[in-house]
């Protein structure tokens, strides 16, 4: 394990794409950096979970990095992001510092939710990251509400809402989308279709398998997107933001991806509900490799530069770990704080 | 007597009742192919097939309602909620359909249904996943509510719940599934509405239910070492509640501690205290003390979670307080 680095030698906040000025497209290297950061960070999460430093439910994003990174790279800093319990990747892509995310996962006072939320409930008000939410489908109406508030105030922001494909079978999804279409609200509903809701395959839970078609019930623009291609995700979300900002039209995106790990840290990667062969087949389209192939074609890839980038990001993950480890447990008085505002 | 886990005891109850009555079926998320999120339904899909062990989409409101509809016309559904936190989405069907149907139909439609699943906190699952709902459920006329804390009670009460012609809520515990206890090989039922005295003493009554029975028994063991012998009364059923058993114990000990997992306001303990003041006012030698979760949503951080939950030291301190030994 690397030694703890001094603050100056490590960039703890690797430039989130969406915190830059609007209109400046991120380079392929920027997007790669974001995805690789999530990968290296979460590998350490798995390790910390095994050591008991992280507890409770912990759902990793590994395999799905292109979705969060590509989508959030299409946003402006004043847009809103809201997600489910599988939120580490989006939180990192949006720019919550790795240190405060890891401290949250360790249940420490410097965590982005002061150690009170944990893995499923990452929040950062400063960058309009409206949380990780634990009840399947529960946050989809919240996104509609954010869209309502944007329109109410006459703004041109959008709200980007991430959820899994299994959530579309829940009533909250339908109620939320109907209102957004009815009232023309600037919301992008992004389904991360990783093919499984826990151990249940999409085909065993949904009467139709092309879930983007659900948008037809609400006459809502929709697209099916390759979720392993960060550039394709970015482009689709950019198109949706244009519709949302201009005419306040909501969009439903079905982004097809795959999770490389178990549903949570307490579920095996393969076995009961999917085969090892299937997993290995999907892992060939690792989003990092897909982007690498593009970069190689464009002559943007250099092994030495990439090795250096990887080392840098491993150091960022190590720094986050060290920071979290050194952070104190919340004071016991914190137990009764934040129940109400006074 | 065979020693089995709480999980296997429930599994046996499901299997036996499904073998006994082919109108009984199990429905919920991950109950079939995945063998249950907590493996309670292991092997049942293989034995009973897809019509009787039904995997659902993540649609609690929907499949709870499907269960009630099927029960209206003669089936006997067992609806599994992955946890009771998710059952909040189904509360409309549990309360407005299942609990009310018999009454509002003037006695025409009874709903023989079981709603079951883990209730309360596990470890570090934080605010949305660590909630004990028994006082909400016990509030509702038309429902019966049971909360077994041991494998023996789990099997006997679940079997009774399946045979009951009314909606019965069975509150299990994620932290209980791996616990072990003796379960008879031969068939038995535990009647709904009866409490069980799990430890006999004379100095104080600890009245509790569900997973907190384990906490109460540990507290009782430690107190015994200090010469304090307590009654531990396991309510088992929260609606109807065994008021006779409560009064019998308190009349004997003259002191009571009421222990529960949920929050204070409107909690099960508040109802128990009310029964005691009604029935045993003149028998009490000290004000009753309640032990419960601190009045906050469950925090994630380990130390805060520990501080929030009722536990053995808090229970012992409460017993000492009602015995005026806390100075
Ligand atoms: C209302 C509700 N029911 C059940 C659960 C338990 N649960 C957590 S995640 C999950 C599967 C969700 O799958 P999907 O929406 O596809 O998202 P993914 O986990 O694949 O990202 C289930 C059943 C829950 N959190 N909320
Ligand atoms: Mg999924």
């Amino acid at each position: 394990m690397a030694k703890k680095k001094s603050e100056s030698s490590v960039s703890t906040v690797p430039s989130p794409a969406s915190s830059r000025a609007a209109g400046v497209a991120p380079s392929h290297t920027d997007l790669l950096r974001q995805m690789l950061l999530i990968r290296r960070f979460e590998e350490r999460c798995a390790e910390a979970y095994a050591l008991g430093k992280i507890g409770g439910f912990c759902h990793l994003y590994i395999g799905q990095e292109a979705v969060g990174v590509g989508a959030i790279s299409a946003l402006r800093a004043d847009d809103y992001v809201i997600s489910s319990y599988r939120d580490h990747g989006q939180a990192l892509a949006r720019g919550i510092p790795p240190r405060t995310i890891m401290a949250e996962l360790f249940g420490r006072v410097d965590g982005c939710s002061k150690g009170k939320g944990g893995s499923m409930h990452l929040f950062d008000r400063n960058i309009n990251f409206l949380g990780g939410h634990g009840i399947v489908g529960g946050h989809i109406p919240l996104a509609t509400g954010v869209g309502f508030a944007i329109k109410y105030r006459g703004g041109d922001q959008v709200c980007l809402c991430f959820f899994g494909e299994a959530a579309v079978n829940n009533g909250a999804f339908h109620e939320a989308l109907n209102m957004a279409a009815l009232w023309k609200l600037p919301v992008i509903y992004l389904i991360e279709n990783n093919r499984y809701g826990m151990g249940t395959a999409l085909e065993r839970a949904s009467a139709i398998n092309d879930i983007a078609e659900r948008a037809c019930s609400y006459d809502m623009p929709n697209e099916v997107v390759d979720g392993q291609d960060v550039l394709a995700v970015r482009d689709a979300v950019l198109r949706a933001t244009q519709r949302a900002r201009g005419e306040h039209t909501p969009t439903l995106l079905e982004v097809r991806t795959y999770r490389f790990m178990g549903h949570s840290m307490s579920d095996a990667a393969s076995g009961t509900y999917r085969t090892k062969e299937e997993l290995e087949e999907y892992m060939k389209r690792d989003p990092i490799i897909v982007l690498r192939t593009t970069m190689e074609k464009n002559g943007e890839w250099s092994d030495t530069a990439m090795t250096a980038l990887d080392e840098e990001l491993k150091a960022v993950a190590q720094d986050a770990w060290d920071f979290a480890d050194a952070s104190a447990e919340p004071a016991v008085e914190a137990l009764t704080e934040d129940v109400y505002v006074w | 007597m065979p020693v089995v886990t709480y999980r296997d005891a429930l599994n046996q109850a499901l299997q036996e009742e499904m073998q006994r009555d082919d109108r009984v079926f199990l429905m919920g998320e991950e109950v079939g192919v995945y063998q249950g999120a907590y493996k309670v339904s292991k092997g049942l899909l293989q034995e009973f097939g897809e019509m009787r062990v039904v995997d659902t989409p993540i649609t609690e409101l929907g499949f709870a309602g499907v269960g009630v509809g099927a029960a209206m016309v003669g089936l006997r559904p067992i609806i599994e909620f992955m946890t009771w936190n998710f059952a909040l989405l189904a509360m409309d069907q549990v309360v407005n359909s299942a609990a009310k149907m018999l009454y509002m139909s003037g006695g025409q439609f009874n709903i023989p249904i079981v709603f079951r699943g883990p209730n309360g906190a596990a470890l570090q699952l934080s605010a949305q996943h660590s909630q004990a709902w028994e006082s909400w459920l016990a509030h509702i006329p038309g429902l019966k509510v049971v909360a077994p804390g041991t494998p023996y009670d789990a099997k006997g009460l679940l079997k009774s719940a399946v045979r009951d012609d009314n909606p019965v809520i069975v509150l299990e515990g994620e932290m209980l599934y791996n616990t072990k206890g003796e379960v008879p090989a031969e068939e038995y039922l535990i009647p709904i509405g009866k409490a069980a005295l799990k430890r006999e003493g004379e100095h104080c009554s600890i009245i509790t239910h569900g997973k907190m029975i384990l906490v109460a028994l540990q507290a009782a063991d430690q107190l015994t070492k200090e010469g304090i012998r307590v009654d531990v009364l396991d309510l088992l059923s929260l609606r109807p509640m065994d008021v006779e058993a409560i009064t019998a114990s308190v009349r004997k000990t003259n002191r009571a501690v009421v222990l529960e997992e949920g929050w204070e306001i409107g909690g099960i303990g508040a109802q128990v205290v009310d029964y005691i003041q009604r029935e045993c006012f003149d028998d009490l030698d000290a004000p009753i003390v309640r032990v419960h979760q601190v009045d906050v949503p469950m925090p994630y951080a380990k130390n805060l979670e520990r501080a929030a939950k009722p536990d053995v030291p808090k229970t012992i301190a409460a017993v000492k307080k009602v015995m005026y030994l806390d100075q």
Side-chain angles (χ1 to χ4, degrees):
Chain A
M1 207 178 287
K3 288 236 176 60
K4 181 169 178 162
K5 301 242 166 97
S6 71
E7 292 217 5
S8 54
S9 67
V10 173
S11 76
T12 55
V13 187
S15 55
S18 61
S19 67
R20 279 194 221 93
V24 184
S27 70
H28 293 169
T29 310
D30 288 340
L31 294 170
L32 185 83
R33 167 191 289 272
Q34 288 290 313
M35 293 198 289
L36 204 54
L37 169 67
I38 297 171
R39 182 69 56 91
R40 297 296 174 241
F41 183 90
E42 284 207 319
E43 285 164 354
R44 301 307 303 279
C45 293
E47 194 184 324
Y49 197 89
L51 293 173
K53 288 181 181 290
I54 300 176
F57 289 147
C58 180
H59 309 81
L60 299 184
Y61 202 57
I62 290 176
Q64 303 182 205
E65 293 95 336
V67 186
V69 168
I72 290 172
S73 79
L75 298 187
R76 291 192 326 221
D78 61 343
D79 291 330
Y80 297 92
V81 178
I82 190 164
S83 186
S84 71
Y85 46 83
R86 197 179 298 286
D87 58 352
H88 307 171
Q90 296 126 3
L92 283 165
R94 185 57 173 171
I96 305 187
R99 283 180 162 192
T100 65
I101 297 177
M102 196 64 94
E104 187 60 35
L105 302 182
F106 281 31
R108 303 300 169 86
V109 66
D110 296 304
C112 56
S113 307
K114 294 194 235 163
K116 286 178 162 174
S119 164
M120 297 188 286
H121 308 300
L122 304 174
F123 285 83
D124 193 337
R125 194 182 179 105
N126 292 326
I127 55 172
N128 290 349
F129 193 82
L130 306 181
H133 298 266
I135 306 300
V136 169
H139 65 292
I140 307 177
L142 305 188
T144 304
V146 174
F148 181 87
I150 292 169
K151 189 166 177 180
Y152 188 94
R153 294 187 308 229
D156 72 340
Q157 300 111 298
V158 305
C159 178
L160 173 62
C161 176
F162 292 92
F163 50 93
E165 87 295 336
V168 308
N169 302 312
N170 185 289
F173 167 83
H174 298 276
E175 297 176 29
L177 265 71
N178 183 51
M179 285 186 280
L182 180 68
W183 296 332
K184 293 188 84 57
L185 302 178
V187 185
I188 303 166
Y189 300 95
L190 191 157
I191 305 166
E192 299 204 51
N193 178 3
N194 61 10
R195 307 210 8 80
Y196 294 91
M198 273 184 81
T200 302
L202 164 66
E203 299 75 28
R204 297 185 55 246
S206 174
I208 56 170
N209 295 340
D210 290 314
I211 345 173
E213 288 178 10
R214 302 244 186 181
C216 302
S217 311
Y218 313 108
D219 200 17
M220 190 185 286
N222 63 89
E223 266 188 69
V224 177
V225 186
D226 177 359
Q228 302 312 90
D229 180 350
V230 68
L231 302 171
V233 177
R234 177 181 154 79
D235 287 347
V237 174
L238 268 178
R239 283 189 291 277
T241 59
Q242 281 154 12
R243 274 190 294 271
R245 292 193 213 288
E247 324 139 34
H248 283 158
T249 305
T251 298
L252 179 67
L253 297 175
E254 180 194 340
V255 182
R256 293 191 176 165
T257 181
Y258 201 82
R259 70 169 148 69
F260 293 174
M261 313 294 279
H263 167 71
S264 72
M265 289 305 297
S266 45
D267 177 47
S270 64
T272 0
Y273 57 88
R274 64 182 193 188
T275 62
K276 193 156 171 274
E277 291 69 41
E278 179 186 305
L279 174 62
E280 281 166 1
E281 195 52 40
Y282 274 97
M283 284 176 86
K284 290 182 189 154
R285 290 205 74 236
D286 184 321
I288 293 171
I289 296 174
V290 172
L291 181 59
R292 174 190 171 142
T293 311
T294 307
M295 290 173 73
E296 280 172 346
K297 263 192 224 134
N298 293 352
E300 297 165 335
W301 184 272
S302 125
D303 280 343
T304 40
M306 288 308 145
T307 312
L309 179 64
D310 199 30
E311 286 309 316
E312 181 196 327
L313 296 175
K314 281 182 185 162
V316 171
Q318 180 63 44
D319 172 76
W321 177 303
D322 294 335
F323 176 82
D325 230 6
S327 174
E329 288 187 323
V332 179
E333 296 76 64
L335 181 62
T336 50
E337 292 166 4
D338 304 321
V339 182
Y340 299 99
V341 285
W342 298 104
Chain B
M1 220 187 281
V3 171
V4 306
T5 61
Y6 188 97
R7 169 186 292 112
D8 290 342
L10 290 167
N11 182 269
Q12 289 174 7
L14 293 171
Q15 187 192 28
E16 289 172 16
E17 292 307 299
M18 290 177 74
Q19 284 172 348
R20 186 186 56 81
D21 184 344
D22 64 12
R23 296 168 302 173
V24 177
F25 67 94
L26 175 67
M27 179 178 267
E29 291 158 18
E30 308 288 357
V31 297
V33 173
Y34 201 71
Q35 307 281 292
Y38 300 102
K39 308 296 170 208
V40 171
S41 52
K42 196 165 181 217
L44 299 182
L45 173 67
Q46 286 66 25
E47 179 172 350
F48 298 104
E50 286 183 351
M51 263 334 267
R52 297 188 66 198
V53 181
V54 187
D55 279 327
T56 65
I58 307 173
T59 52
E60 286 81 4
L61 168 80
F63 65 76
V66 168
V68 177
M72 286 183 81
V73 294
L75 299 187
R76 302 183 73 88
I78 302 172
I79 300 296
E80 173 172 315
F81 293 121
M82 193 177 283
T83 81
W84 277 93
N85 300 289
F86 313 143
L88 289 202
L89 283 99
M91 280 302 260
D92 177 54
Q93 294 298 349
V94 174
V95 175
N96 274 326
S97 298
K100 308 286 168 59
M101 198 73 73
L102 182 66
Y103 196 80
M104 67 190 182
S105 69
Q108 297 180 75
F109 286 98
N110 67 308
I111 307 296
I113 195 169
V114 173
F115 295 107
R116 48 160 288 269
N119 175 56
L123 283 177
Q124 282 199 279
L125 300 185
S126 66
Q128 293 184 322
H129 283 77
S130 316
Q131 306 172 94
W133 292 117
E134 50 266 49
S135 66
W136 275 35
L137 294 156
H139 192 59
I140 311 297
L143 299 179
K144 295 185 180 183
V145 182
V146 300
T150 67
Y152 174 80
D153 296 324
K155 181 172 179 185
L157 282 170
L158 178 53
K159 283 172 68 86
S160 294
V162 175
R163 296 182 193 194
D164 202 289
D165 286 329
N166 297 289
V168 183
I169 308 289
V170 181
L171 301 171
E172 304 164 7
E174 190 180 329
M175 304 299 288
L176 290 174
Y177 288 130
N178 281 331
T179 59
K180 291 188 178 157
E182 289 189 336
V183 173
E186 60 280 5
E187 171 153 82
Y188 67 99
L189 297 170
I190 295 177
I192 295 173
K194 284 266 168 270
L197 196 57
K198 295 274 167 86
R199 190 66 54 87
E200 283 218 53
E202 68 267 29
H203 297 128
C204 175
S205 304
I206 302 179
I207 301 164
T208 189
H209 64 272
K211 162 191 343 168
M212 288 297 121
I213 186 68
L214 305 184
V215 171
L217 290 172
Q218 279 178 51
D221 286 343
Q222 293 190 26
L223 286 163
T224 308
K225 290 180 198 145
E226 300 180 39
I228 301 168
R229 288 177 298 280
V230 296
D231 258 12
V232 175
L233 184 69
D234 187 346
L235 293 171
L236 293 177
S237 293
L238 305 175
R239 178 187 267 273
M241 205 183 274
D242 190 348
V243 183
E244 268 177 40
I246 296 171
T247 46
S249 176
V250 176
R251 287 210 175 117
K252 179 178 66 174
T253 63
N254 311 110
R255 298 168 199 271
V257 165
V258 188
L259 164 66
E260 71 187 302
E261 196 183 352
W263 293 293
E264 176 177 19
I265 295 178
I268 293 294
Q271 187 58 40
V272 173
V273 169
D274 179 52
Y275 285 136
I276 296 173
Q277 67 84 19
R278 271 194 250 174
E279 305 291 332
C280 312
F281 188 75
D282 291 329
D283 300 292
L284 285 175
D285 284 346
I288 304 160
V289 173
R290 290 178 59 197
V291 184
H292 45 74
Q293 182 181 327
V294 175
D295 192 25
V296 299
M298 192 65 86
Y300 167 75
K302 252 186 218 163
N303 66 323
L304 295 187
E305 187 186 43
R306 215 178 298 125
K309 287 174 165 176
D311 60 9
V312 174
K314 288 175 190 171
T315 307
I316 290 176
V319 170
K320 291 189 174 170
K321 182 156 193 217
V322 297
M323 295 185 66
Y324 300 127
L325 294 172
D326 60 335
Q327 271 79 39

